Amino acid sequence: MGFAAQRVAEERMSKTKKQTFSKIKAAKANARTRVGTPPPERVLPDPKQKRTTNEKHKTTLADLINRTGENE
């Protein structure tokens, strides 16, 4: 690559953004080194979803009698 081509490539590249100091990020990094990384998040089952998986209608007495008659 010639000098002219290299100069054009340098002009197109954006400058890297200067990193500013953040107290919060520094405190978190310090805590991670001392204690370690926090455990992964556990997903708790949603009680509303549990209700939708249940049957929408209660079984009737006739259905219960028919089921017990089939098993015998």
Side-chain angles (χ1 to χ4, degrees), residues 33-63:
T33 56
R34 290 181 183 201
V35 179
T37 57
E41 191 175 290
R42 284 194 218 167
V43 180
L44 298 174
D46 190 18
K48 290 181 181 178
Q49 282 183 340
K50 228 179 204 183
R51 276 190 246 138
T52 57
T53 57
N54 295 343
E55 295 180 22
K56 291 188 177 185
H57 304 284
K58 292 183 178 180
T59 54
T60 60
L61 184 59
D63 290 337

Side-chain angles (χ1 to χ4, degrees), residues 12-48:
R12 285 190 207 153
M13 293 175 56
S14 61
K15 293 182 179 179
T16 56
K17 192 172 185 180
K18 188 176 179 182
Q19 297 292 325
T20 57
F21 181 75
S22 171
K23 293 178 193 177
I24 297 169
K25 287 182 182 178
K28 286 182 179 183
N30 190 18
R32 277 191 217 101
T33 56
R34 290 181 183 201
V35 179
T37 57
E41 191 175 290
R42 284 194 218 167
V43 180
L44 298 174
D46 190 18
K48 290 181 181 178

